[in-house]
Amino acid sequence: MALTNAQYETIIHEYEERQTKNRHKLEARLQEIRSSHPEYAALEDAVSSLSVSYTRRLIDGEAGAKQELSDSLRELRQKRVDFLTENGYPADYLAPVYDCPDCLDTGYIGQKKCHCFERRIIELLYHQSNLSGTLSKENFDTLSYEWFSGSALSDYKKAVNVCKEFVSSFDTCHKNLLFMGTVGTGKTFLSNCVAKALIDTSHSVIYFRSAELFDTFAGYVFGKDKSALEHFLNDLYRCDLIIVDDLGTELESSFVTSYFFTFLNEREQLGKSTLITTNLGLKELHQKYSDRICSRIIGNFEICLLTGPDIRIRKKT
């Protein structure tokens, strides 16, 4: 799972706050019982006194002392439960309080992350992705072939199969995807399908529209906070999957060309996958970007060509 140290520490801090909150809740309940029922203190004192009285016998190894202590403590615990229920409280009112009784609010069961920790990771990854609202509507479960026909349908089905194979082999086979085609042929929808499938298996995914990516790049590069730039580049280069949507819509500049090549090169060297969608054809890519960039894309990306009319317009008409 590609959590940064800061993200991991954020989750651990949440568990620490959860433990503190529940400890205070239990203390408040105990204080409430003590205030309204002073006689309850006698039962608590009895437990403490009993433990002290048996300590020496246990140290001396007296036969039967351990069993006697266990039996006596069990009897006192039952008396406390009876006291609570007789006074209108739940039997477990003074039991330790946990949001997750499986891991006791530690986040771990033994050496393995608890299901609640895994769920929190996915929530964090959704938030990080910039896609949290979109993916509930655009995913493999909502995918439909209704608006396609002829060769466009054939191309789309091929692209769907490529996407599913990309997801299923993600951890064992490094690949990059390039979706090419005219406006409204399903490129962004398929990239969202891939994003949701990977986030749901705890992979980190970050989505940028192309113009947004390079504007963000420029903001950090020309900003004064070099630490912020370092953190941004770390996330950008090491995230499991980066999606760059609508490549070619950004403003042309030497800055874009330079940093786009750096971006592609760094992720390729780190073995990290990139998914790009564009309305441009191969000839237009050559005209807009340097030979080095086009060579990287054509050589390192699996290309899916999507054809047909604009689905958005067809849906409206």
Side-chain angles (χ1 to χ4, degrees), residues 238-252:
R238 296 184 180 278
C239 179
D240 292 333
L241 176 68
I242 292 285
I243 297 174
V244 182
D245 196 20
D246 275 343
L247 181 68
T249 57
E250 73 285 347
L251 295 175
E252 294 186 49

Side-chain angles (χ1 to χ4, degrees), residues 179-192:
F179 296 155
M180 304 182 71
T182 53
V183 174
T185 49
K187 301 182 299 297
T188 300
F189 185 96
L190 284 183
S191 69
N192 289 339

Side-chain angles (χ1 to χ4, degrees), residues 126 131-143 156 186-197 207 245 312 315:
Y126 264 102
L131 289 167
S132 55
T134 304
L135 299 189
S136 62
K137 302 174 184 176
E138 300 188 3
N139 54 70
F140 284 122
D141 290 335
T142 63
L143 185 148
Y156 195 68
K187 301 182 299 297
T188 300
F189 185 96
L190 284 183
S191 69
N192 289 339
C193 290
V194 170
K196 185 177 191 307
Y207 168 94
D245 196 20
R312 301 183 189 96
K315 286 182 178 180

Side-chain angles (χ1 to χ4, degrees), residues 46-47 50-51 68-78:
V47 172
L50 185 66
S51 298
E68 287 182 27
L69 175 60
S70 178
D71 293 341
S72 297
L73 287 174
R74 184 166 53 252
E75 182 180 343
L76 282 174
R77 283 195 293 268
Q78 186 58 51

Side-chain angles (χ1 to χ4, degrees), residues 7 32 40 45 53 68 78-79 85 90 105 112 117 128 130 133 143 155 183 203-205 210-211 302 305 311 315:
Q7 289 171 326
E32 174 196 348
Y40 180 78
D45 293 341
S53 67
E68 287 182 27
Q78 186 58 51
K79 286 183 178 180
T85 56
D105 292 342
K112 184 179 179 181
F117 199 112
Q128 169 190 277
N130 297 329
L143 185 148
D155 290 339
V183 174
H203 294 88
S204 55
V205 178
S210 181
E302 183 171 358
L305 181 62
I311 298 171
K315 286 182 178 180

Side-chain angles (χ1 to χ4, degrees), residues 33-264:
I33 296 292
R34 287 171 174 169
S35 298
S36 55
H37 302 281
E39 65 273 25
Y40 180 78
L43 288 173
E44 290 185 311
D45 293 341
V47 172
S48 299
S49 299
L50 185 66
S51 298
V52 170
S53 67
Y54 273 85
T55 299
R56 175 54 58 187
R57 296 173 61 185
L58 291 171
I59 292 175
D60 293 340
E62 181 179 326
K66 185 176 182 180
Q67 184 60 50
E68 287 182 27
L69 175 60
S70 178
D71 293 341
S72 297
L73 287 174
R74 184 166 53 252
E75 182 180 343
L76 282 174
R77 283 195 293 268
Q78 186 58 51
K79 286 183 178 180
R80 288 196 296 183
V81 169
D82 294 341
F83 180 91
L84 291 173
T85 56
E86 288 168 2
N87 286 278
Y89 296 98
D92 62 350
Y93 192 65
L94 294 179
V97 180
Y98 302 112
D99 285 9
C100 179
D102 295 329
C103 68
L104 308 183
D105 292 342
T106 64
Y108 283 81
I109 300 175
Q111 298 297 315
K112 184 179 179 181
K113 291 184 179 70
C114 181
H115 58 83
C116 64
F117 199 112
E118 300 279 10
R119 184 173 62 251
R120 185 65 187 98
I121 289 175
I122 292 174
E123 289 171 355
L124 195 62
L125 294 176
Y126 264 102
H127 177 73
Q128 169 190 277
S129 72
N130 297 329
L131 289 167
S132 55
T134 304
L135 299 189
S136 62
K137 302 174 184 176
E138 300 188 3
N139 54 70
F140 284 122
D141 290 335
T142 63
L143 185 148
S144 171
Y145 299 109
E146 177 183 359
W147 305 101
F148 298 88
S149 60
S151 61
L153 176 60
S154 177
D155 290 339
Y156 195 68
K157 285 184 174 180
K158 289 178 183 177
V160 170
N161 290 334
V162 168
C163 290
K164 290 182 176 180
E165 172 61 25
F166 178 79
V167 169
S168 65
S169 64
F170 192 82
D171 291 323
T172 58
C173 184
H174 167 61
K175 292 181 181 179
N176 302 298
L177 295 180
L178 173 64
F179 296 155
M180 304 182 71
T182 53
V183 174
T185 49
K187 301 182 299 297
T188 300
F189 185 96
L190 284 183
S191 69
N192 289 339
C193 290
V194 170
K196 185 177 191 307
L198 289 177
I199 291 175
D200 284 348
T201 51
S202 299
H203 294 88
S204 55
V205 178
I206 298 179
Y207 168 94
F208 284 104
R209 290 184 63 84
S210 181
E212 177 192 9
L213 171 63
F214 293 111
D215 285 347
T216 304
F217 236 136
Y220 281 110
V221 169
F222 297 116
K224 296 181 180 180
D225 191 341
K226 299 306 177 185
S227 176
L229 171 62
E230 183 179 338
H231 286 303
F232 171 71
L233 293 179
N234 184 69
D235 286 346
L236 191 68
Y237 295 151
R238 296 184 180 278
C239 179
D240 292 333
L241 176 68
I242 292 285
I243 297 174
V244 182
D245 196 20
D246 275 343
L247 181 68
T249 57
E250 73 285 347
L251 295 175
E252 294 186 49
S253 69
S254 58
F255 173 86
V256 168
T257 302
S258 174
Y259 276 90
F260 188 33
F261 176 79
T262 300
F263 164 76
L264 293 174

